Amino acid sequence: MADARALQLAMQSPVVDETAELQTLACLLTWNDLYLDLAPVLRPEMFSVELYAEIWRTACALLDRGENAHVVSVARTWNVARGDAAGAREWLARVAGAIVPKAGAIELARIVRDNWLRREAQQLAATLSADAGFVDASEPFDACLDRVEQGLLALRGHGTTTIAHRMAAQAVREGLAAIDAAREHGGVSGLATGLRALDENLGGLHRGEMTIAAARPGMGKTAFALTVAANVALSGAPVAFLSLEESVEMLTRRLLSRFSGVPLTRLRYARLDAHDRLALDDAAKSVGNMPLMFDATPSRTIPDIRATLRRLRHEMGGKLALAVIDHVGLIPPTRPNASQYERVTEASEGLKVIAKQLDVPVLALNQLSRAVEQRDDKRPQLADLRDSGRLEEDARVVLFLYREAYYRKRAEPQRREGEHDGSFASRIAAWQADYETIKHEADVIVAKQNNGPTGTVRLRFHEMTTTFSDERGTA
């Protein structure tokens, strides 16, 4: 890491390489066919000399019109626009004399871009240094850090040369390749959740998209998300699970319960026998080998979450297959005094952007309001998200979790005044028989899916280990 003196000198000496800038322009004006390769890398403001930026801008305008861009045509265009033929000839003569081999053009353009990125980073460092020394009680320092982070994220976006647009023929080829890959994976074009019935409906979770899984408390939101996260990690794909509600210890217990078969309540109270302990040892090996990373830091803002996911992705070797956020309602706003609607909207929009920036599926959980409990039919509906900011609009897929057994269990019959034993026993038996038929049923209601069908997917809920599955039989 550079010391303070080195940092000061760096900030006083902007990174500039005029020779690379001249040579890049010379390559473009000599070989116009390089335009399609250079244009995604460079923008006019990346040149340190304004006249170089204007030469680049003029040449690009000519090429965009289908005309040739060379020293003469740029000089002619510049003369008409500026009335400065002498100035044009002087600068263009310098460009013409800076020709280098065509093969080095892309590397030169990257040098120009990287120098611009370094100058912008120096400016951000200066901003942070100035703000750190300025005391303003009306603004928390976190706001300064957020501004700098936003600037860094913008720079990161310019640090790649991926071309966003595609010609129709190329897009068709890529689309057909994706279809063939989905056929090979049983129709799953995205990231498989490991829940077959759900994957058949959704086609998996898709990169760059946010999926919302919402429910009332007790329906198993965290259990559902952890089931999906573990299933993905079992396939060898790295997963980041950010919990703003449960501790890492509790999440780990859930995983150990799932893979050992030891009921979660017995783990919580350490009521284990020798067989349970052996099963836990085996489960620990399975869980320990999964590329699943937890972060249970509370009160994380959207900038915090973005930074954490980037850090976890780096720790996973630059790869991240899935990000899980539990849950949206606990993400604090960056602006003080925001309403609940504004809080959730900011969180929703932020997670949507994170999914696109990191090119990763984001599975975000959300807790529905008590309004659901006031209805006779307690199955969630899209209308139940109306008080939850822009979740419905921002999500590509909205899932609701619903377990009828949760409500049936709470409706266990109580003895009526004066009721004899036989009558009460009969009602209890009827209730128990009814409950037993549905106690493992769990519905995932696909309430919204931009590119697929809606409907209800029936899963199985293992209450003792708080796990969802496609399995039949006993839990």
Side-chain angles (χ1 to χ4, degrees):
M1 181 176 295
D3 58 24
R5 177 60 178 165
L7 178 61
Q8 183 180 13
L9 289 173
M11 292 173 64
Q12 292 173 350
S13 306
V15 183
V16 172
D17 187 341
E18 286 192 33
T19 300
E21 296 179 16
L22 274 172
Q23 291 174 337
T24 301
L25 291 172
C27 287
L28 176 64
L29 297 183
T30 305
W31 299 289
N32 285 179
D33 60 308
L34 287 173
Y35 179 52
L36 293 178
D37 295 320
L38 298 178
V41 182
L42 294 176
R43 297 204 314 269
E45 62 268 28
M46 293 181 179
F47 291 88
S48 62
V49 179
E50 176 56 34
L51 286 171
Y52 292 171
E54 192 163 347
I55 292 172
W56 172 266
R57 192 180 295 111
T58 302
C60 290
L62 287 168
L63 293 168
D64 284 338
R65 294 198 299 266
E67 302 177 23
N68 293 326
H70 43 68
V71 171
V72 174
S73 62
V74 170
R76 184 187 308 117
T77 304
W78 205 353
N79 185 30
V80 171
R82 293 167 49 95
D84 185 11
R89 285 194 296 271
E90 176 185 351
W91 284 96
L92 288 168
R94 296 181 62 184
V95 171
I99 297 176
V100 296
K102 181 178 182 180
I106 298 299
E107 184 59 32
L108 286 168
R110 287 175 178 155
I111 291 172
V112 174
R113 179 205 60 191
D114 288 351
N115 286 343
W116 174 78
L117 289 170
R118 290 186 173 91
R119 294 196 297 273
E120 292 294 302
Q122 288 175 339
Q123 184 60 47
L124 283 173
T127 299
L128 179 59
S129 177
D131 286 351
F134 178 71
V135 179
D136 182 358
S138 66
E139 181 184 53
F141 189 64
D142 283 349
C144 166
L145 294 178
D146 288 344
R147 287 196 297 273
V148 172
E149 183 179 17
Q150 290 297 324
L152 288 173
L153 287 172
L155 290 183
R156 184 180 291 274
H158 294 302
T160 60
T161 57
T162 302
I163 303 175
H165 61 271
R166 293 288 186 274
M167 294 297 290
Q170 182 181 357
V172 168
R173 287 195 299 272
E174 293 176 354
L176 289 174
I179 291 171
D180 289 339
R183 290 179 62 193
E184 293 177 4
H185 293 86
V188 179
S189 57
L191 180 71
T193 66
L195 299 168
R196 184 179 62 257
L198 185 61
D199 287 332
E200 288 174 355
N201 182 285
L202 301 181
L205 304 176
H206 297 272
R207 294 188 306 174
E209 297 183 1
M210 178 175 68
T211 295
I212 291 294
R216 285 291 296 150
M219 295 294 109
K221 295 187 299 296
T222 300
F224 173 77
L226 195 56
T227 295
V228 172
N231 288 347
V232 172
L234 279 172
S235 71
V239 178
F241 195 112
L242 274 59
S243 175
L244 286 77
E245 186 169 37
E246 289 197 5
S247 66
V248 172
E249 180 183 6
M250 188 63 235
L251 294 170
T252 303
R253 284 180 180 174
R254 286 178 180 267
L255 285 177
L256 290 174
S257 178
R258 169 185 174 175
F259 288 99
S260 69
V262 178
L264 186 60
T265 53
R266 280 161 57 185
L267 283 180
R268 178 184 288 273
Y269 299 110
R271 296 170 181 164
L272 308 174
D273 56 27
H275 180 270
D276 292 338
R277 192 63 182 82
L278 289 174
L280 286 173
D281 286 340
D282 290 338
K285 294 176 183 177
S286 298
V287 173
N289 290 327
M290 292 191 302
L292 175 57
M293 297 192 70
F294 293 114
D295 188 298
T297 306
S299 302
R300 282 198 174 278
T301 62
I302 285 296
D304 292 335
I305 291 172
R306 182 186 295 111
T308 298
L309 289 175
R310 289 191 182 279
R311 173 177 57 81
L312 294 179
R313 183 176 66 173
H314 176 74
E315 293 178 10
M316 293 177 180
K319 298 178 181 179
L320 186 61
L322 173 66
V324 179
I325 312 296
D326 184 10
H327 62 79
V328 175
L330 295 178
I331 300 175
T334 56
R335 294 176 290 107
N337 304 319
S339 67
Q340 178 63 17
Y341 182 90
E342 292 170 335
R343 284 169 58 105
V344 179
T345 293
E346 179 183 339
S348 172
E349 293 176 343
L351 292 176
K352 177 182 177 181
V353 170
I354 286 173
K356 289 184 175 295
Q357 287 178 335
L358 300 186
D359 194 30
V360 64
V362 170
L363 175 59
L365 308 187
N366 184 56
Q367 182 167 298
L368 296 176
S369 71
R370 292 187 179 89
V372 177
E373 307 289 342
Q374 310 307 315
R375 301 195 300 260
D376 291 335
D377 182 3
K378 295 176 173 53
R379 297 173 68 84
Q381 307 165 5
L382 280 177
D384 296 321
L385 286 178
R386 286 175 181 165
D387 295 330
S388 298
R390 290 181 48 85
L391 281 179
E392 180 184 345
E393 292 86 348
D394 292 332
R396 296 301 296 269
V397 176
V398 175
L399 308 176
F400 292 124
L401 306 179
Y402 176 76
R403 293 193 302 114
E404 176 66 23
Y406 174 82
Y407 295 104
R408 297 283 186 91
K409 191 172 185 178
R410 296 167 68 187
E412 180 177 353
Q414 303 298 312
R415 186 186 289 270
R416 298 166 182 162
E417 185 176 355
E419 184 177 19
H420 59 76
D421 291 344
S423 174
F424 179 57
S426 177
R427 289 196 302 115
I428 284 288
W431 169 84
Q432 185 67 39
D434 179 57
Y435 176 74
E436 288 295 326
T437 62
I438 65 167
K439 71 176 184 178
H440 296 307
E441 292 181 357
D443 289 340
V444 179
I445 303 168
V446 184
K448 173 189 174 182
Q449 184 176 189
N450 285 2
N451 299 312
T454 58
T456 299
V457 174
R458 175 62 53 83
L459 298 178
R460 185 174 181 80
F461 181 66
H462 306 267
E463 186 173 11
M464 301 299 286
T465 58
T466 63
T467 305
F468 288 80
S469 76
D470 284 307
E471 297 175 359
R472 301 293 179 183
T474 59

Short mmCIF file of all heavy atoms in Angstrom, two decimals, residues 18 84 139 181 287 299 377 397 442 473:
data_model
loop_
_atom_site.label_atom_id
_atom_site.label_comp_id
_atom_site.label_asym_id
_atom_site.label_seq_id
_atom_site.Cartn_x
_atom_site.Cartn_y
_atom_site.Cartn_z
N GLU A 18 0.26 11.24 -23.52
CA GLU A 18 -0.17 11.88 -24.76
C GLU A 18 0.26 11.08 -25.98
O GLU A 18 -0.42 11.08 -27.01
CB GLU A 18 0.39 13.30 -24.84
CG GLU A 18 -0.29 14.29 -23.91
CD GLU A 18 0.10 15.72 -24.24
OE1 GLU A 18 0.33 16.00 -25.44
OE2 GLU A 18 0.17 16.54 -23.31
N ASP A 84 -11.03 26.99 -38.46
CA ASP A 84 -9.67 27.00 -37.95
C ASP A 84 -8.83 25.99 -38.72
O ASP A 84 -8.36 25.00 -38.18
CB ASP A 84 -9.68 26.66 -36.45
CG ASP A 84 -8.31 26.77 -35.82
OD1 ASP A 84 -7.40 27.31 -36.48
OD2 ASP A 84 -8.14 26.29 -34.68
N GLU A 139 -24.75 16.25 7.84
CA GLU A 139 -24.62 15.12 6.93
C GLU A 139 -23.72 14.05 7.53
O GLU A 139 -22.57 14.34 7.86
CB GLU A 139 -24.05 15.57 5.59
CG GLU A 139 -23.92 14.44 4.58
CD GLU A 139 -23.27 14.89 3.28
OE1 GLU A 139 -22.18 15.47 3.34
OE2 GLU A 139 -23.85 14.64 2.23
N ALA A 181 -28.89 -25.42 -24.67
CA ALA A 181 -28.38 -25.70 -23.33
C ALA A 181 -29.53 -26.01 -22.38
O ALA A 181 -29.43 -26.91 -21.53
CB ALA A 181 -27.58 -24.50 -22.82
N VAL A 287 -21.73 -29.85 4.56
CA VAL A 287 -21.94 -28.40 4.60
C VAL A 287 -20.62 -27.66 4.43
O VAL A 287 -20.54 -26.65 3.72
CB VAL A 287 -22.62 -27.99 5.92
CG1 VAL A 287 -22.70 -26.46 6.03
CG2 VAL A 287 -24.02 -28.59 6.00
N SER A 299 -28.43 -4.23 9.62
CA SER A 299 -28.56 -2.83 9.19
C SER A 299 -27.68 -2.49 8.00
O SER A 299 -27.06 -1.43 7.95
CB SER A 299 -28.24 -1.88 10.36
OG SER A 299 -29.10 -2.13 11.45
N ASP A 377 -59.70 -15.97 3.11
CA ASP A 377 -58.74 -16.67 2.26
C ASP A 377 -57.38 -16.01 2.47
O ASP A 377 -57.16 -14.87 2.04
CB ASP A 377 -59.15 -16.57 0.79
CG ASP A 377 -58.18 -17.32 -0.13
OD1 ASP A 377 -57.24 -17.94 0.39
OD2 ASP A 377 -58.38 -17.26 -1.37
N VAL A 397 -39.85 -11.87 -11.23
CA VAL A 397 -40.68 -12.97 -10.74
C VAL A 397 -41.09 -12.66 -9.31
O VAL A 397 -40.27 -12.21 -8.50
CB VAL A 397 -39.91 -14.31 -10.77
CG1 VAL A 397 -40.76 -15.43 -10.18
CG2 VAL A 397 -39.51 -14.67 -12.20
N ALA A 442 -46.91 -27.48 0.95
CA ALA A 442 -46.46 -26.09 0.85
C ALA A 442 -46.66 -25.63 -0.59
O ALA A 442 -46.26 -26.31 -1.53
CB ALA A 442 -44.99 -25.98 1.24
N GLY A 473 -43.63 -38.98 0.59
CA GLY A 473 -43.33 -39.82 1.76
C GLY A 473 -43.30 -39.01 3.03
O GLY A 473 -43.70 -37.86 3.08
#
